[in-house]
Amino acid sequence: MGIVYLIGAGPGDPGLLTLRGAELLAAADVVIYDYLAPAKLLALAPRAEKIYVGKKGPVHALPQEQINALLIEKAKAGKTVARLKGGDPFVFGRGGEEAEALVNAGIPFEIIPGITAAIGGLAYAGIPVTHRDFNSSFTLVTGHEKDESSDIDWPSLAKLPCVAFYMGVGNLAQIAQRLLAHGMNPQTPAATVQWAATTRQKCVVGTLQTIEQKVIGAGISSPAITIFGKVVTLRSTLNWFESRPLFGQRIVITRTRQQSSELAIRLQNLGAEVIEAPTIEIAEPSDWSEVDRALDEAANHDWIIFTSINGVLAVKNRLLATGRDIRLFGSAKIAAIGAPTAAAINRELACRVDLCPDQFVAEALADQLLAAEPMREKRILLLRADIGRPILVDRLRAAGALVRNISIYETRRPAALPPGVGEQIRSGEIDWITFTSSSTAKNFLELFGPPTDLQKIKTASIGPITSQTLRELGIPITVEAQRSDIDGLVQSILSNQQ
């Protein structure tokens, strides 16, 4: 016998999932998920079968009875089932019905609560659901009852200081009319929040008397939640989420999946929606023999040069895989292109970097090496990608250095962009595309097609070398980072918002 976990995914932001929920998703054999469960959470269950059973208005992927039967079927097959539901399973999520069905079938289960939309979603709109100056109670009501019969006590509801309605946009006119008819003050502040706690969040504020027209005028539809109460007046002061500088901006990252997380987190923390579309894949060399010989002879070199974080990680992984360690570097000096690469050398290899230029380009490193000491007969080991630019090797060899250029990792172009990314760009749904190297730009264009569809898209380049490639490819450049790293790239995007 398997087990079913009814997991609340929260109101929209994937980061609001509980630790327990994340742990159980990672262990799941099957994930059965809803329309409002954040799609990014599915990545937490890489080995699981994923089944969509969402309900969007009147369109149901599966009727509730069939969802219950599916949970039972999978559990009886010995599977660990994660039932991923938006918000909280027991707050208008039909989790109680599913749990009852599991009990009747003798299936063990566990409830993992989530943050419900009326609390988390409204918090993201800057509306606290309780405040000592305004209300000492808070009431949750469904705006979409299952049939014509109603157990809502409208006369009592109209007297309460703060009421939130779930799934009530389609019935907002009737809700407002009933509250007015039973005595709620027509000037009671009101707000409707669509796609709460996501970068698609949209909020309108009015009164009980005006909120329906405000919602219609703003084009708001489900999913949305509506709140009535004086706490709504605090939105203008507490609207933290939509006030972030990149709120609502949709930004494509073309870095490798291994490298995209830092940039993605930075942009997301500033309010952007990040779409990862890696145009480079990192792979191990097809033949390790030349790499292993170079590492075994590393101590015979005067300088060891790293040009990227990927190179540092590749060396670390190879040393660990072959039972060797950093002692094989001997007394060789270490140089790096870029502060992030230098930091990675220190963090991953526990080595101090002897030389790292302020400018994060090969030309700057060549200049500093040539200025540091005569290069004639100096033995230099360069550990980098298979597609590294020749300028550093050429400059050092021209100065008489003996350069050993080793491809410690290989870069490949993916077979395609992730599904839907190209269509989003062409339809104008994307605001920015970031490019962090010449290869990301070249590969992107090969995967995407002619640059004519990019004329209205803003582009951010990490530095002059990448910008030169973009110009050669016919891709217009909106901003270029003054400092060729993630901080510089983010700052360049922010400067365009001002």
Side-chain angles (χ1 to χ4, degrees):
M1 182 69 70
I3 186 170
V4 176
Y5 297 101
L6 301 178
I7 302 172
D13 183 345
L16 298 181
L17 180 73
T18 62
L19 291 174
R20 178 64 172 158
E23 173 187 292
L24 294 173
L25 280 173
D29 300 309
V30 182
V31 178
I32 299 174
Y33 65 102
D34 279 345
Y35 172 57
L36 292 180
K40 285 187 177 181
L41 294 181
L42 298 178
L44 298 177
R47 67 181 185 85
E49 176 188 7
K50 298 167 181 73
I51 304 173
Y52 174 70
V53 295
K55 302 167 185 174
K56 184 179 180 183
V59 180
H60 294 189
L62 277 183
Q64 186 62 50
E65 293 74 16
Q66 290 185 32
I67 295 174
N68 298 347
L70 180 63
L71 295 173
I72 294 167
E73 174 195 334
K74 293 296 184 180
K76 283 188 173 180
K79 305 293 185 181
T80 296
V81 181
R83 173 70 172 106
L84 191 61
K85 305 175 75 68
D88 181 278
F90 278 6
V91 181
F92 303 124
R94 305 190 76 170
E97 297 172 49
E98 293 177 4
E100 284 182 298
L102 294 171
V103 169
N104 292 335
I107 304 294
F109 68 94
E110 181 179 323
I111 307 300
I112 297 84
I115 303 173
T116 190
I119 295 174
L122 292 174
Y124 271 57
I127 301 172
V129 295
T130 66
H131 192 284
R132 63 183 301 171
D133 293 337
F134 298 135
N135 61 310
S136 56
S137 69
F138 172 54
T139 304
L140 309 181
V141 185
T142 178
H144 184 72
E145 295 183 276
K146 66 179 181 179
D147 52 40
E148 293 301 319
S149 63
S150 173
D151 62 358
I152 297 176
D153 184 351
W154 289 98
S156 297
L157 206 61
K159 295 180 178 67
L160 294 173
C162 188
V163 185
F165 286 84
Y166 287 71
M167 303 169 288
V169 173
N171 296 325
L172 190 53
Q174 296 93 318
I175 290 169
Q177 288 168 9
R178 287 178 176 176
L179 291 174
L180 284 167
H182 289 93
M184 182 175 278
N185 187 334
Q187 297 307 311
T188 300
T192 298
V193 186
Q194 181 184 28
W195 287 112
T198 74
T199 55
R200 299 167 64 184
Q201 178 173 300
K202 191 175 183 180
C203 179
V204 294
V205 173
T207 66
L208 172 59
Q209 195 169 44
T210 65
I211 191 63
E212 181 198 358
Q213 290 305 313
K214 295 273 189 177
V215 165
I216 293 172
I220 286 180
S221 58
S222 61
I225 190 161
T226 299
I227 182 171
F228 300 95
K230 290 182 180 179
V231 289
V232 172
T233 61
L234 293 171
R235 171 173 158 78
S236 58
T237 303
L238 304 181
N239 181 19
W240 63 276
F241 185 60
E242 295 168 50
S243 299
R244 296 183 299 173
L246 295 180
F247 176 76
Q249 299 283 295
R250 308 189 78 195
I251 303 178
V252 170
I253 295 179
T254 57
R255 301 190 99 193
T256 63
R257 292 196 186 281
Q258 297 94 324
Q259 289 181 305
S260 64
S261 59
E262 181 186 356
L263 178 56
I265 290 169
R266 291 287 303 278
L267 294 173
Q268 287 167 351
N269 288 342
L270 292 166
E273 178 183 351
V274 171
I275 297 97
E276 294 187 21
T279 59
I280 293 179
E281 293 177 347
I282 302 299
E284 294 181 347
S286 53
D287 182 358
W288 282 107
S289 57
E290 186 178 7
V291 172
D292 288 337
R293 281 196 300 272
L295 291 176
D296 286 337
E297 298 167 5
N300 298 330
H301 294 80
D302 299 289
W303 285 92
I304 298 173
I305 299 175
F306 292 89
T307 64
S308 70
I309 296 174
N310 286 328
V312 177
L313 294 175
V315 167
K316 175 187 175 181
N317 292 337
R318 190 57 184 169
L319 294 180
L320 291 173
T322 56
R324 294 175 288 183
D325 60 41
I326 203 62
R327 286 176 292 183
L328 53 74
F329 278 18
S331 60
K333 295 178 182 178
I334 298 176
I337 294 180
T341 304
I345 293 169
N346 184 265
R347 180 179 64 252
E348 305 293 341
L349 302 177
C351 289
R352 178 176 59 84
V353 173
D354 298 282
L355 192 151
C356 179
D358 293 332
Q359 289 183 293
F360 300 174
V361 292
E363 290 84 345
L365 180 58
D367 290 341
Q368 288 206 13
L369 281 169
L370 294 173
E373 58 183 281
M375 284 290 109
R376 182 163 295 281
E377 301 300 321
K378 292 293 182 181
R379 294 160 299 176
I380 297 177
L381 176 59
L382 180 57
L383 300 169
R384 61 175 184 172
D386 57 333
I387 58 169
R389 296 166 59 228
I391 184 68
L392 182 58
V393 174
D394 292 346
R395 291 276 304 277
L396 294 175
R397 283 177 176 168
L402 306 174
V403 181
R404 194 171 186 177
N405 185 20
I406 299 296
S407 298
I408 190 69
Y409 65 95
E410 297 178 0
T411 59
R412 299 172 185 168
R413 190 190 73 194
L417 292 172
V421 171
E423 290 76 10
Q424 288 177 308
I425 294 172
R426 292 184 181 92
S427 64
E429 298 175 51
I430 300 300
D431 298 286
W432 288 90
I433 303 175
T434 63
F435 295 100
T436 53
S437 68
S438 292
S439 51
T440 62
K442 292 175 182 176
N443 290 354
F444 173 81
L445 209 59
E446 290 177 7
L447 295 169
F448 177 75
T452 51
D453 291 327
L454 301 177
Q455 301 306 311
K456 295 182 180 180
I457 306 291
K458 295 179 182 178
T459 59
S461 165
I462 201 167
I465 304 302
T466 302
S467 294
Q468 179 181 341
T469 301
L470 289 169
R471 293 188 189 96
E472 292 170 355
L473 294 171
I475 300 175
I477 302 166
T478 307
V479 294
E480 178 187 300
Q482 293 186 3
R483 181 182 171 92
S484 300
D485 60 5
I486 297 304
D487 284 338
L489 188 63
V490 172
Q491 287 301 318
S492 70
I493 293 173
L494 285 172
S495 67
N496 187 262
Q497 304 301 114
Q498 299 170 356

